[in-house]
């Protein structure tokens, strides 16, 4: 079952919208990062959310102490139903990122999944992956 989940999520297409430019290479351990600001989003096509408790692991960086920013996990469209949220913490500067985990809830079936940036301060998403919670 784990192998099937891994293979499924490895083949999920990543589509980036709302960016002014392509992801840029950064110094440090991260090869790419997505600069997120109010209204920008990452989209994952046709994610099967009915395979048990689906969660996520995301690595973020924020240079602003009072960010008030968050990621909203929405289905079907960028302004669709919210199935999860994540507050973006202060990490010091753009070279340090935190790995955060959470659960996606109140969704079943296959949906397009959108990670939508909210709040007045920009932040970076350096990695994102799905996890299966047991």
């Amino acid at each position: 079952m784990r192998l099937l989940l891994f293979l499924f999520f490895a083949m999920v297409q990543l589509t980036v919208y709302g960016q002014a430019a392509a992801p840029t290479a950064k110094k440090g351990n991260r090869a790419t990062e997505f600069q997120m600001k109010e209204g920008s989003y990452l989209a994952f096509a046709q994610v099967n959310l009915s395979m048990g408790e689906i969660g996520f692991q995301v690595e973020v960086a924020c240079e602003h102490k009072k960010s008030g920013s968050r990621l909203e996990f929405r289905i079907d469209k960028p302004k669709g139903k919210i199935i999860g949220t994540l507050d973006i913490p202060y990490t010091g500067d753009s070279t340090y990122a935190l790995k955060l985990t959470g659960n996606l809830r109140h969704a079943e079936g296959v949906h397009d999944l959108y990670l939508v940036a909210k709040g007045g301060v920009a932040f970076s998403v350096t990695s994102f992956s799905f996890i299966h919670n047991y």
Side-chain angles (χ1 to χ4, degrees):
M1 183 65 160
R2 288 183 187 176
L3 179 61
L4 286 174
L5 282 173
F6 173 76
L7 290 174
F8 174 77
F9 289 125
M11 298 179 80
V12 171
Q13 178 184 1
L14 171 65
T15 309
V16 180
Y17 296 102
Q19 300 288 336
T24 57
K26 291 286 184 181
K27 60 185 176 181
N29 294 337
R30 301 180 311 233
T32 61
E33 68 180 34
F34 298 99
Q35 296 293 321
M36 304 290 285
K37 59 183 181 180
E38 175 72 34
S40 61
Y41 57 88
L42 300 174
F44 297 87
Q46 302 298 296
V47 177
N48 187 351
L49 298 172
S50 61
M51 299 178 75
E53 282 290 315
I54 300 295
F56 63 87
Q57 182 173 342
V58 63
E59 191 172 320
V60 296
C62 182
E63 300 179 43
H64 307 283
K65 286 187 179 182
K66 295 182 180 181
S67 78
S69 295
R70 69 184 184 281
L71 272 178
E72 293 181 346
F73 295 82
R74 294 176 176 260
I75 55 174
D76 301 325
K77 54 188 174 185
K79 293 185 179 183
K81 178 181 175 184
I82 296 176
I83 61 169
T85 59
L86 175 67
D87 291 329
I88 305 300
Y90 168 68
T91 60
D93 64 31
S94 63
T95 60
Y96 298 103
L98 291 176
K99 285 185 180 178
L100 305 169
T101 59
N103 295 321
L104 301 177
R105 61 187 189 283
H106 309 299
E108 294 182 2
V110 177
H111 298 274
D112 292 340
L113 178 66
Y114 293 86
L115 281 65
V116 181
K118 296 291 182 177
V121 178
F123 59 93
S124 300
V125 174
T126 58
S127 76
F128 178 81
S129 61
F130 294 102
I131 57 175
H132 187 74
N133 298 329
Y134 294 99

